[in-house]
Amino acid sequence: MNITRIFSDEKGETHFEIIEIPLVDQGDIGFLSETLEVKKLQFREVSADYDYDFHCAPQKQYIVLLDGGVEIETSLGEKRKFQTGEILLVEDVNGKGHKTKNLELKVRKSLFIYV
């Protein structure tokens, strides 16, 4: 399973990186990753016109997009679009941060999983 990591380098610039999460065949119940320790889980809903200028993540966290997509722009101007069901690992807790905006003019729901 692939997820996208968003992180800051030593100069404070934000980047994207694809991380592969290995899955192991567990028979009838499917393929599972190793378990990960998490601190908290938070539900989130943003308005249809959500367009958040440059900001850093408040903590290292996974974001699971439940319904609706986002466009994320790094401090270097690279933009990527993420759709419902995709998972992000956001680690740019310092540096120049990233921009986020809804792809569609509709309320969007997601999960924050603090790690």
Side-chain angles (χ1 to χ4, degrees):
M1 178 177 295
N2 290 333
I3 63 171
T4 301
R5 176 180 176 230
I6 301 169
F7 67 98
S8 298
D9 65 19
E10 61 282 345
K11 295 180 183 175
E13 300 292 354
T14 308
H15 303 272
F16 294 113
E17 174 185 34
I18 302 299
I19 297 174
E20 184 177 346
I21 305 297
L23 302 177
V24 177
D25 188 349
Q26 299 295 312
D28 291 344
I29 64 169
F31 292 79
L32 299 175
S33 72
E34 291 186 19
T35 58
L36 301 171
E37 293 294 322
V38 299
K39 295 178 182 175
K40 294 181 181 183
L41 171 73
Q42 188 171 37
F43 298 90
R44 180 182 193 209
E45 185 175 278
V46 296
S47 65
D49 61 349
Y50 186 79
D51 187 0
Y52 197 32
D53 205 1
F54 280 103
H55 63 285
C56 291
Q59 64 272 323
K60 181 179 175 180
Q61 62 191 11
Y62 289 96
I63 300 175
V64 181
L65 301 174
L66 297 176
D67 65 352
V70 294
E71 177 182 82
I72 297 179
E73 180 179 347
T74 69
S75 60
L76 297 171
E78 182 180 359
K79 295 179 182 180
R80 292 193 188 177
K81 294 179 180 179
F82 302 94
Q83 302 294 336
T84 298
E86 291 195 70
I87 303 168
L88 307 170
L89 174 58
V90 185
E91 296 183 319
D92 63 336
V93 296
N94 51 43
K96 297 179 182 177
H98 62 276
K99 287 183 182 183
T100 307
K101 73 176 185 177
N102 281 354
L103 292 177
E104 301 174 70
L105 192 58
K106 70 176 199 174
V107 171
R108 181 174 52 81
K109 296 176 183 153
S110 57
L111 292 176
F112 288 170
I113 303 169
Y114 302 176
V115 291

